[in-house]
Amino acid sequence: MELFKKISELKANNDFEGLVELVPYAKTIGIETSLVGDNIVSTLPFLSSNIGNHAIPALHGGAVAGFMENAAIFHLMWTAKLQQMPKVIDFSIDYLRSGQATTSYSQCEIIRLGRRVALCNIKVWQADIDKPFALARAHFLLSSNEPFNKES
Amino acid sequence: MKNSKPAVNPLLCKVNQTPHATILKLELVSAKDDTVTLKLPFSEHIIGDPFKRLIHGGAITTLMDTVCGAAVFQAQGNFQSMATLDLRVDHMRPADSGLDVFAIAECYRLTNTVAFIRATAYTDNIDEPVATAVASFMRSNVEFPIQ
């Protein structure tokens, strides 16, 4: 309920940047949000604290994964009327190439939005949208422990 | 090759020194045979659920990715780089707020080109895991840069 109130408040003020303030981890890795149509789109400006291999230099695979998971979480928080934070059930990522020291962009597609579970595909790229550097899919638990509660 | 390698890869203490591992304050706990254990200390800046003050799944994924890579270093007995091909993390339950998370990874198969790893993350009791992971890494003969 607390979350629903908070998101309604942010929406009323068109304060999509407030999402980042809400999630400390998103702030830590430096995620930025923008509103494209009705959707939240997350970007990750380059931060040296996200480096995993400084010889290339390349982003840490974990930071990339965290960025993608969070992109899906923000997308769900804004789109679905959630009563609580989406809880990741599983997260699976394929790395296609290393993430360079530049801005990363993300696109999240909700494949299925059920009452209890959502399935998302997430894609990240840098210079060229047709050359993603990682692809991920994730399931999120949306509702609380009472699985048969009716949606309000 | 296996009998010539040291019991604990002496360079393992460097795995948590990449900038991103430093930000998350990852710590090397132990290493033996082909397994490595790392610790992710609880901290405010890795919270993902501000209402229940739970650690973000992304921080757990970083812990898993890093511990799997460390297990490859340990199994290889050197510091030749690898690149994550794929990583899957299953989250069994959230880590209790305020508790540090440990992750143990085993590199159970090392071929000439690919390494296969599985990992378990837990807080107090490994029999009640927070998450499990499977990963495969592409091996290379390039030395990992050590600071």
Side-chain angles (χ1 to χ4, degrees), chain A:
Chain A
M1 208 61 231
E2 227 177 325
L3 177 70
F4 186 73
K5 245 168 70 185
K6 184 75 198 170
I7 298 292
S8 307
E9 222 175 87
L10 293 178
K11 277 188 172 175
N13 299 325
N14 210 21
D15 182 12
F16 44 85
E17 285 160 347
L19 281 171
V20 180
E21 296 299 321
L22 204 56
V23 180
Y25 177 80
K27 223 176 157 177
T28 300
I29 64 170
I31 292 175
E32 290 179 357
T33 51
S34 51
L35 200 59
V36 178
D38 289 332
N39 293 325
I40 288 291
V41 172
S42 301
T43 52
L44 189 70
F46 172 70
L47 282 187
S48 57
S49 58
N50 287 338
I51 288 178
N53 180 329
H54 63 86
I56 299 179
L59 298 176
H60 194 293
V64 173
F67 168 52
M68 294 172 90
E69 184 182 320
N70 200 80
I73 290 173
F74 278 176
H75 187 51
L76 286 168
M77 283 165 79
W78 203 260
T79 313
K81 295 185 172 73
L82 303 179
Q83 306 293 332
Q84 61 175 48
M85 292 290 291
K87 256 191 203 164
V88 63
I89 302 171
D90 55 57
F91 182 86
S92 180
I93 179 164
D94 291 297
Y95 295 95
L96 310 178
R97 44 178 71 80
S98 58
Q100 308 292 316
T102 176
T103 305
S104 307
Y105 303 91
S106 71
Q107 196 175 65
C108 172
E109 184 188 0
I110 301 175
I111 304 297
R112 165 149 167 85
L113 183 62
R115 272 189 311 141
R116 289 190 286 167
V117 172
L119 171 63
C120 300
N121 278 354
I122 310 113
K123 159 179 164 176
V124 283
W125 71 92
Q126 292 183 322
D128 182 351
I129 189 169
D130 293 322
K131 280 190 181 159
F133 66 98
L135 299 171
R137 47 166 253 145
H139 280 101
F140 293 93
L141 190 65
L142 304 178
S143 83
S144 60
N145 294 329
E146 290 81 41
F148 301 112
N149 269 3
K150 280 194 176 150
E151 265 181 13
S152 50

Side-chain angles (χ1 to χ4, degrees), chain B residues 49-109:
Chain B
D49 184 332
F51 305 102
K52 297 179 184 159
R53 297 174 44 77
L54 303 173
I55 294 179
H56 197 287
I60 302 287
T61 307
T62 301
L63 170 67
M64 290 304 215
D65 188 36
T66 311
V67 77
C68 287
V72 180
F73 284 138
Q74 170 67 9
Q76 288 180 162
N78 60 27
F79 232 49
Q80 286 178 342
S81 281
M82 76 288 288
T84 320
L85 279 179
D86 75 67
L87 171 71
R88 178 195 165 103
V89 185
D90 288 293
H91 297 264
M92 263 103 258
R93 65 176 181 89
D96 297 329
S97 184
L99 294 189
D100 300 340
V101 181
F102 296 86
I104 182 164
E106 181 198 9
C107 178
Y108 63 93
R109 185 80 186 135

